[in-house]
Amino acid sequence: MTALAFSGAALAQQNYPARPMRLVIPWPPGQATDLVGRIVAQKLTELLGQQVVADNRPGAGGMIGTNVAAKAPPDGYTLLAGSAGPVSINPLLQKAPYDPERELAPVANVAMVPYVLASHPSFPAKSAAEFVAVVRANPGKYTFASSGTGATAHLAAELFNNMSGLKATHVPYKGSAPALIDLVGGQVAYTLETAAGTMPHVRAGRLRAYGISIGRVSILAPELQPLSILANIPGYDVAAWIGVMVPSGTPSHIIRRLAAEVDKAMQGADVRERLIVAGVEVDYRRTDDFTQYLKGQRARFADVIKKGNIKID
C-alpha cells in the first residue's frame, strides 16, 4: 500500500500540470499587476503546456483577489499575481481576511514599480537637494499627493519625508491619475508617483522631476538618478513589487517546478522587453531571495506606518 501510494504521488508529480491553471490577479485589467500577470500567464502557458488563465478578481485594494488565492486548494493549480499593497501593506493597516505570512508562499518576484519625485515646474527648487532644503525650511507649508492613504506610493513618500526630515501635509486621492492631474494644475506641491504615470508629464514640461525612488538608474526614466544620492538619503530604495505566489501548503516539488519555469521565462529577452513596455522595471528574485525580500518589505512598511501614525478611516 505504501509503495502504491508512493508510486501514485510520483506519477502525479511527473504529470504536473495535468489540467489548466489560473493566475488570480487582484486588480482590474490595465493596472500594472494585471499587465505583468498576463505576460507571466502567457509565457507559463507556453512553458508548461497547459493553459494558465488570467483571472481578474479586483476590489478592496487587491485584498479580494488575494484572499481568493490564499484560500484556494494548495494543489499548484491556483497562482497569485502578488503585489506590495495587498500582501506587504494592507494587512498592517486594516483587518485582512487572510494572513499573507501564513497563507501565501513565494515563488518568484518578477517586477517592480519605481516612483519619481515630481513637482509643478513653478516649485522653487531645481534639484533634489534644493527641494529638500526648501520643504525642510518650511515645515507644514507644502502638500504632497498620493493615490490613496496606505498606497505604496503614499508610504514611499512618507519614507522619503521621514528620511529627509520633511514635514508636509498628505492629500490622498482615489488613484494616481487624479493626483497627477492636480499636481499638473498646481493644487498640490509634490508627489512620489509611478515612473510610468509621471514621466510623460515630465517629458512634456508639465512637471519637474527630481529623482527616482530606487537605488539604481531605472530603464523607465534613464535621465534620472537615485534620490538616495541626489537628496543625500543613503538607504532610500523603495518600489512596489509584483511577483508570483501560491497558497501555503503547496507541495515543495510544485513550487520548485513553477520557480524553474518562471526562471526560464525571465531569461528570455521577449518577456523582459514586454515588462518594460508595460511600464515596470524588471526585478527578478528567485524563491529564497524573494522570501527574504518580503520579510524586509513588511518590516520596513510597518516602521513607516508606525512613525507616520498612518490609519485608514
Side-chain angles (χ1 to χ4, degrees):
M1 190 70 175
T2 304
L4 285 172
F6 179 81
S7 176
L11 185 62
Q13 179 173 337
Q14 186 177 356
N15 290 341
Y16 174 82
R19 54 185 169 85
M21 307 156 68
R22 67 170 174 165
L23 176 70
V24 177
I25 301 174
W27 301 95
Q31 193 265 1
T33 306
D34 171 73
L35 298 175
V36 172
R38 289 177 182 278
I39 292 168
V40 171
Q42 182 179 343
K43 196 64 180 180
L44 287 180
T45 294
E46 296 173 16
L47 293 170
L48 290 167
Q50 288 285 356
Q51 185 74 29
V52 180
V53 179
D55 182 11
N56 291 86
R57 298 294 188 94
M63 291 199 297
I64 289 175
T66 300
N67 188 50
V68 168
K71 300 297 192 291
D75 56 9
Y77 288 93
T78 296
L79 315 181
L80 171 68
S83 58
V87 176
S88 298
I89 298 173
N90 290 355
L92 300 172
L93 283 167
Q94 56 190 299
K95 185 171 176 56
Y98 54 87
D99 182 335
E101 293 187 304
R102 286 195 312 105
E103 296 184 78
L104 292 170
V107 175
N109 196 59
V110 173
M112 66 176 173
V113 178
Y115 299 99
V116 170
L117 174 64
S119 73
H120 189 271
S122 64
F123 192 88
K126 297 287 178 65
S127 69
E130 288 179 4
F131 176 90
V132 168
V134 169
V135 179
R136 188 185 289 156
N138 295 276
K141 176 179 178 179
Y142 294 106
T143 54
F144 69 98
S146 82
S147 55
T149 300
T152 313
H154 174 208
L155 298 192
E158 291 281 2
L159 181 62
F160 176 78
N161 291 344
N162 290 346
M163 294 181 73
S164 303
L166 309 184
K167 301 291 185 184
T169 302
H170 176 225
V171 181
Y173 288 80
K174 292 184 178 179
S176 299
L180 287 169
I181 287 171
D182 269 12
L183 184 62
V184 168
Q187 275 74 50
V188 285
Y190 68 99
T191 192
L192 268 143
E193 261 303 338
T194 65
T198 306
M199 290 312 293
H201 294 293
V202 172
R203 289 166 181 151
R206 293 186 292 267
L207 294 177
R208 176 182 294 141
Y210 298 99
I212 195 92
S213 68
I214 56 176
R216 64 175 189 261
V217 173
S218 169
I219 197 167
L220 303 174
E223 62 266 55
L224 299 180
Q225 292 294 312
L227 286 166
S228 59
I229 297 171
L230 297 175
N232 192 28
I233 42 174
Y236 184 72
D237 185 356
V238 62
W241 61 266
I242 302 173
V244 179
M245 308 184 81
V246 291
S248 290
T250 298
S252 58
H253 72 267
I254 288 179
I255 292 178
R256 287 195 299 270
R257 173 71 189 283
L258 290 171
E261 300 303 337
V262 173
D263 188 73
K264 290 178 191 174
M266 293 305 296
Q267 302 312 315
D270 59 329
V271 169
R272 289 175 172 264
E273 288 168 7
R274 289 181 66 195
L275 289 170
I276 293 166
V277 170
V280 299
E281 183 92 5
V282 175
D283 186 42
Y284 175 48
R285 298 172 188 264
R286 294 181 172 90
T287 307
D288 289 347
D289 185 18
F290 187 27
T291 300
Q292 293 307 310
Y293 176 74
L294 288 177
K295 290 179 181 176
Q297 290 291 290
R298 184 178 177 88
R300 187 174 217 188
F301 287 130
D303 185 59
V304 174
I305 289 166
K306 182 179 179 180
K307 285 180 178 175
N309 194 29
I310 300 167
K311 294 182 172 62
I312 293 181
D313 295 331

